[in-house]
Amino acid sequence: MGRIREFDEQKALTEAMHLFWEKGYEATSLSDLTARMGIRKPSLYAAYGDKSSLFEAALRKYNHLHAQQVRERLKCETSVKEAFRKLFHEGAFPGSVQGRSGCFCVNTMVELAPHDARFEILTREHQQYLAVMFEETLARGVASGELGEIGDKRAVGQTLVASFIGITVLKKSNPDPAWIGNCIDTALTLLPDPKGNGSCSSELGGIYEKRP
């Protein structure tokens, strides 16, 4: 009969997720992980496998939590336009994020996906899932009459995901808020008003101070 684990595996995995999220894969050592997770190396290996397997488990956990957050943010506003606007401005990060950590999945897409097929697949699947949620939200806006007809909702959803990812990466460098605002305003011109005109001249546009 196997020994009962003397620690909370999900809690420890959450700690590993946040550490990988903050530092990335290569910069995170096993000593960093065991210290953050509050376990010894043999327990880490027994519960999660090697460092790469632990990273994969942490990324899967993050993707699940992130997808939940995105879905909740898209559904919490009656207005589809405002739902997208707030999502783009505020992001959707599971738990509290210290500093400018960006999105764990996007960070992985940049660091590991070009060199590791597992992470290429995991990050691509998450992007595709976000695109489906975006497409569903667009359909809701059309059905409610808030949005005009959109010829190819899939293409628009995918383009919005690309914009969302780009804005998330840009925020890591602490850019001019007016730049972020302009990017969001322009991305959301993809949402047509019922009269067939691109709408999304933002009601919030005036809050950004333009630098000279």
Side-chain angles (χ1 to χ4, degrees):
M1 181 176 178
R3 294 179 59 187
I4 297 175
R5 300 234 164 90
E6 297 177 350
F7 65 95
D8 185 327
E9 290 186 38
Q10 285 303 311
K11 182 178 179 180
L13 181 59
T14 297
E15 292 298 331
M17 180 189 80
H18 279 280
L19 185 59
F20 280 130
W21 186 359
E22 294 162 13
K23 300 184 66 173
Y25 180 79
E26 292 296 340
T28 303
S29 69
L30 285 174
S31 296
D32 292 333
L33 288 164
T34 53
R36 182 72 168 262
M37 298 165 75
I39 61 177
R40 298 178 182 274
K41 287 183 182 179
S43 296
L44 185 154
Y45 291 129
Y48 310 103
D50 58 13
K51 177 183 169 182
S52 180
S53 297
L54 174 59
F55 186 92
E56 180 178 346
L59 179 61
R60 288 183 182 276
K61 183 179 184 72
Y62 174 89
N63 285 352
H64 174 71
L65 294 173
H66 184 249
Q68 283 185 328
Q69 289 271 7
V70 171
R71 185 174 291 280
E72 288 172 8
R73 286 187 178 272
L74 289 174
K75 287 186 174 182
C76 72
E77 296 289 333
T78 302
S79 166
V80 164
K81 294 177 184 178
E82 281 307 301
F84 275 116
R85 184 174 298 285
K86 287 189 176 181
L87 175 65
F88 276 44
H89 273 291
E90 299 171 8
F93 302 120
S96 59
V97 181
Q98 300 298 320
R100 298 193 298 270
S101 299
C103 171
F104 182 22
C105 184
V106 173
N107 296 347
T108 303
M109 180 178 67
V110 174
E111 182 184 14
L112 296 181
H115 316 292
D116 190 314
R118 285 181 302 165
F119 298 114
E120 177 190 347
I121 292 169
L122 278 175
T123 55
R124 183 171 65 246
E125 286 178 344
H126 189 58
Q127 293 165 46
Q128 291 171 339
Y129 188 56
L130 293 180
V132 169
M133 286 193 283
F134 281 21
E135 184 180 347
E136 291 172 350
T137 305
L138 293 171
R140 190 175 88 234
V142 173
S144 72
E146 180 186 2
L147 302 182
E149 285 300 321
I150 300 172
D152 190 339
K153 295 182 186 68
R154 176 175 294 182
V156 173
Q158 291 171 341
T159 302
L160 288 172
V161 169
S163 297
F164 183 47
I165 290 171
I167 289 166
T168 300
V169 173
L170 186 61
K171 285 180 179 178
K172 294 182 67 174
S173 64
N174 195 27
D176 178 358
W179 188 354
I180 295 294
N182 288 336
C183 290
I184 293 172
D185 286 346
T186 302
L188 296 186
T189 60
L190 289 169
L191 307 185
D193 67 26
K195 296 179 181 179
N197 301 315
S199 87
C200 290
S201 56
S202 170
E203 296 176 0
L204 304 178
I207 70 174
Y208 303 108
E209 292 184 4
K210 303 294 183 180
R211 290 183 179 176

